[in-house]
Amino acid sequence: MGFLDRVRAVRGAYRQVDANVERWARIIAIDPGPGPVTVLHLEIHSNGAPVHVEVAYTRIPRGITPAVGQDVAYRRFASPGADGRDADTYQVLWDEAPQYGSPEKVRDAFIGQALSGGPGSERERKLLVARNMLDRGVISQADYDRMISDR
C-alpha cells in the first residue's frame, strides 16, 4: 500500500467517523442585518457539548426562507481575536442537511425525550417519538409499523 493509498484510507475513516458526529443548529431568532445580511441567532448543538447560543451573519440564498425553529447545518471557524484568544465565527451551510449524529444517538435522544415526562400518556409519547424517528429517516416504515403495534 503506497503513501497516497494510506492517506485515502485515513481520510475515508475520518469522514465516516465525522459523519456520525452531532453538529447542527436551531434557528431561535431572525433579525434584519445591514444591507443584504440577515442576523441569525443559533442554538448550537455540537457532539455532546453544552448547548449555547451564537450569532451568525449570513446572506440568505434565493429560494430559501429561514424560519424560527428550523434546524440547519453549520461550520465553525476559529480565528485569532484582538485580545489573543480565538474568536469563533459561525456560517450556516444552506446546501447541507443538519448532522444529528449516529442513528443510535438520535434514537436514544428521542426515546429519552419521550420518557422524560410531559403531557400525555407514555404510549402517546412513544408514538410521537416513533413518528419523529420515521420523519428523520432514523427508522424504516416497517420499524415504525412494528413500534406502533407494540402495546
Side-chain angles (χ1 to χ4, degrees):
M1 178 184 272
F3 175 74
L4 288 179
D5 293 330
R6 287 193 301 260
V7 169
R8 287 184 187 114
V10 169
R11 184 182 301 145
Y14 171 77
R15 286 183 178 154
Q16 185 176 12
V17 169
D18 189 56
N20 290 322
V21 171
E22 175 188 23
R23 186 173 35 252
W24 60 281
R26 176 163 292 143
I27 299 173
I28 58 173
I30 303 171
D31 295 326
V37 175
T38 301
V39 180
L40 300 177
H41 300 264
L42 302 173
E43 181 182 83
I44 303 294
H45 298 261
S46 179
N47 204 26
V51 175
H52 62 284
V53 176
E54 297 289 345
V55 175
Y57 296 87
T58 186
R59 294 182 77 169
I60 309 298
R62 286 185 188 194
I64 294 181
T65 306
V68 171
Q70 177 183 356
D71 293 348
V72 295
Y74 74 90
R75 179 177 295 140
R76 181 181 67 86
F77 296 96
S79 56
D83 60 357
R85 286 186 276 156
D86 283 348
D88 291 336
T89 304
Y90 290 83
Q91 173 191 14
V92 175
L93 304 173
W94 295 108
D95 57 343
E96 293 184 22
Q99 198 167 306
Y100 296 107
S102 68
E104 296 81 22
K105 194 173 194 177
V106 174
R107 182 183 65 239
D108 293 345
F110 286 140
I111 290 172
Q113 177 184 357
L115 299 178
S116 67
S121 68
E122 182 175 336
R123 169 95 177 123
E124 290 170 349
R125 290 191 302 272
K126 284 183 179 180
L127 291 176
L128 176 65
V129 167
R131 169 49 69 187
N132 205 345
M133 289 169 60
L134 177 66
D135 291 345
R136 292 184 187 263
V138 175
I139 61 172
S140 67
Q141 183 67 45
D143 292 335
Y144 173 76
D145 293 340
R146 190 170 35 259
M147 288 175 79
I148 63 170
S149 67
D150 292 342
R151 299 274 181 231

